[in-house]
Amino acid sequence: MRTPLIVLLLCSLASGCALDHPPGVLAPEPPAQTNLARQGAFPHGAYRILPLATFELTARVLGKERYWFDRGAELAPYDLALGWGRMSDSAVIDRLSISQSWRWYRWRARDLPIPLGEIVSSSANMHMVPADDLVRRTLGRVRDGDVVRITGKLIEVSGPDGFHWKSSLTRADTGNGACELVFVEDLVIL
């Protein structure tokens, strides 16, 4: 009977064991976003952050990737692949192969469980910029399968050496530049 205890201990230490859910939509609503009129940028460490939109969502974590060494790792140490609507339903997700690497979220399916346009508009890879140490620690505890509520802003960032990174402002895009860059002011694991 030591094996389950060891597995549980390893899962809790690594925060890497996915949570299983029965079929059913866990996060029915799409993200809420209000574009902002041009506002002033504010400092965040060595960076300047320009808010583009307020942003709030409840979503299922489809994947989490920690970055240590790429150009954005200091600013956004984690990416979360998130799904809402039917992309938060195990009956759909279990028919997809989901992966993340190099700041990209990818999925594959032998047969599409829902229309392609719905997959695109109901899931996204989001670069998480923690507003403070509490948010950073909470991001570290997030696991695949968690349902999270995130409140913050979609942003544009400028930094040393001409560094520039800008959030997508739509959920309907794909490819390079389609990820959201989220300044996370509050993160709750539900």
Side-chain angles (χ1 to χ4, degrees):
M1 286 300 177
R2 295 176 70 142
T3 302
L5 180 59
I6 292 170
V7 170
L8 181 62
L9 179 61
L10 290 174
C11 284
S12 64
L13 289 175
S15 294
C17 294
L19 297 177
D20 288 327
H21 296 281
V25 172
L26 299 176
E29 299 300 319
Q33 172 182 323
T34 303
N35 293 348
L36 297 170
R38 189 91 175 154
Q39 294 191 351
F42 61 89
H44 186 69
Y47 301 92
R48 301 277 307 157
I49 293 181
L50 177 66
L52 302 174
T54 61
F55 192 69
E56 184 173 345
L57 82 155
T58 299
R60 180 176 177 169
V61 177
L62 306 176
K64 172 185 163 185
E65 189 71 23
R66 173 69 159 108
Y67 292 92
W68 298 94
F69 303 111
D70 74 345
R71 182 61 177 92
E74 177 185 19
L75 182 68
Y78 295 97
D79 279 8
L80 298 180
L82 298 171
W84 52 90
R86 290 199 290 175
M87 282 299 290
S88 68
D89 184 346
S90 293
V92 171
I93 296 167
D94 290 348
R95 294 180 55 197
L96 298 171
S97 173
I98 295 172
S99 64
Q100 285 175 283
S101 64
W102 299 102
R103 300 281 181 181
W104 289 77
Y105 144 66
R106 295 171 183 82
W107 59 267
R108 287 181 292 139
R110 181 172 292 215
D111 298 303
L112 291 179
I114 59 177
L116 174 62
E118 188 176 354
I119 293 172
V120 169
S121 65
S122 298
S123 65
N125 190 54
M126 300 192 186
H127 312 307
M128 299 287 134
V129 179
D132 55 37
D133 286 336
L134 176 60
V135 172
R136 183 181 298 269
R137 286 191 304 272
T138 305
L139 277 166
R141 289 193 306 268
V142 169
R143 297 182 291 168
D144 290 3
D146 278 338
V147 176
V148 296
R149 186 176 61 239
I150 297 169
T151 305
K153 294 182 175 57
L154 298 179
I155 58 173
E156 182 174 348
V157 175
S158 58
D161 305 326
F163 178 78
H164 185 258
W165 206 359
K166 186 176 181 180
S167 178
S168 168
L169 294 176
T170 178
R171 307 302 84 74
D173 52 357
T174 62
N176 195 23
C179 295
E180 285 69 22
L181 182 58
V182 185
F183 185 73
V184 183
E185 297 168 320
D186 189 48
L187 169 63
V188 178
I189 301 170
L190 302 175

